[in-house]
Amino acid sequence: MSYDIAFRFQQALDPSALITLPTALHALNAAIEDCRNAGRPQDSDPAVLLLARHLGAIASQIERPNVDLRRACMDAIANLRRKPALIALAHKGVAYDEPAKKLFHSDGRKALKRLADALRLAEGSYDLRSNKGGIAVSGEVTLHGEEVYVQLSLGSLGRGNEIMFRRVAGRKDYCGDRNHWADIAELMAPDTFAVRIRRELHLSAPDVTPTRLVA
């Protein structure tokens, strides 16, 4: 059933509490949502129009010329294009964004495959899998070998901890030793990262078959 409330009109008449871009934008979005719920046209609602103009007024008070802002946007685009997609996705996040999440899992598998090659893991000696999880999380991409377990995910512990790696005793070992953490940027240099993993986990030399303990 349609309903309408007076709050958006009150905010539009006295927006003095809306002094930042985020608060003004939130009020504008809430007013638009109220119109939608009430079945009223959003582009002619007086409260929506006043709140939109208030938002514009706040933005106009930020003393940066449009030409500087446009240049900053173009520089940001160029900078992002120079970076691997995984880096951009780590900063942006992929929750509630299915295309971004699909790209994260696709590029994540490729990155972990390059890491497996850098670790000189033989074909068939490791599993490479991904679990997308629910819409509110990134899910994880996992490399699981005979001695090493590497998992890539976003958003669980904040930036700089996107990669967890630990030593394991075979592909049936899902607990392993203590966790180690790395920034996703390290994954972009797989040879260097592989050296760190081997050093910190005390892995067997690449040309030596790992010793398996039989229970």
Side-chain angles (χ1 to χ4, degrees):
M1 182 176 67
S2 296
Y3 65 91
D4 206 354
I5 56 177
F7 184 65
R8 73 177 185 276
F9 300 109
Q10 294 167 346
Q11 277 199 314
L13 289 171
D14 181 15
S16 58
L18 308 174
I19 59 176
T20 66
L21 285 175
T23 56
L25 180 59
H26 176 77
L28 176 58
N29 287 333
I32 292 173
E33 183 65 22
D34 286 347
C35 287
R36 185 180 298 114
N37 291 333
R40 296 181 178 276
Q42 302 160 18
D43 55 358
S44 62
D45 184 82
V48 169
L49 293 175
L50 283 174
L51 288 169
R53 291 175 184 176
H54 180 68
L55 176 64
I58 293 176
S60 67
Q61 294 172 6
I62 300 175
E63 296 180 356
R64 292 188 64 185
N66 284 354
V67 63
D68 289 349
L69 295 174
R70 291 178 62 84
R71 184 180 297 114
C73 286
M74 290 186 286
D75 289 345
I77 292 171
N79 186 46
L80 287 171
R81 285 176 175 170
R82 287 193 295 268
K83 293 179 179 179
L86 280 176
I87 299 294
L89 292 173
H91 287 273
K92 171 186 176 296
V94 300
Y96 302 101
D97 188 340
E98 184 57 31
K101 188 172 183 176
K102 183 177 180 181
L103 179 60
F104 165 69
H105 280 264
S106 173
D107 281 19
R109 290 177 67 92
K110 293 175 185 176
L112 287 183
K113 177 62 171 67
R114 291 192 293 269
L115 179 62
D117 293 340
L119 287 166
R120 295 175 62 182
L121 303 182
E123 289 289 340
S125 71
Y126 62 88
D127 299 318
L128 188 58
R129 56 183 180 268
S130 64
N131 172 28
K132 290 189 174 182
I135 62 173
V137 297
S138 69
E140 57 273 341
V141 187
T142 305
L143 167 67
H144 195 167
E146 296 296 334
E147 286 189 316
V148 63
Y149 183 100
V150 184
Q151 188 169 88
L152 169 63
S153 63
L154 306 179
S156 57
L157 293 175
R159 294 177 187 173
N161 292 287
E162 295 89 0
I163 302 173
M164 182 275 294
F165 60 98
R166 61 182 176 235
R167 182 166 180 141
V168 293
R171 281 184 276 175
K172 298 294 185 181
D173 181 5
Y174 297 96
C175 296
D177 295 339
R178 73 178 183 88
N179 294 337
H180 298 247
W181 302 95
D183 190 295
I184 195 170
E186 294 194 58
L187 190 58
M188 301 301 101
D191 292 331
T192 303
F193 190 32
V195 172
R196 177 190 169 187
I197 290 176
R198 288 197 166 279
R199 181 181 68 250
E200 294 190 10
L201 301 188
H202 306 289
L203 300 183
S204 302
D207 55 346
V208 176
T209 302
T211 301
R212 296 294 304 277
L213 299 178
V214 179

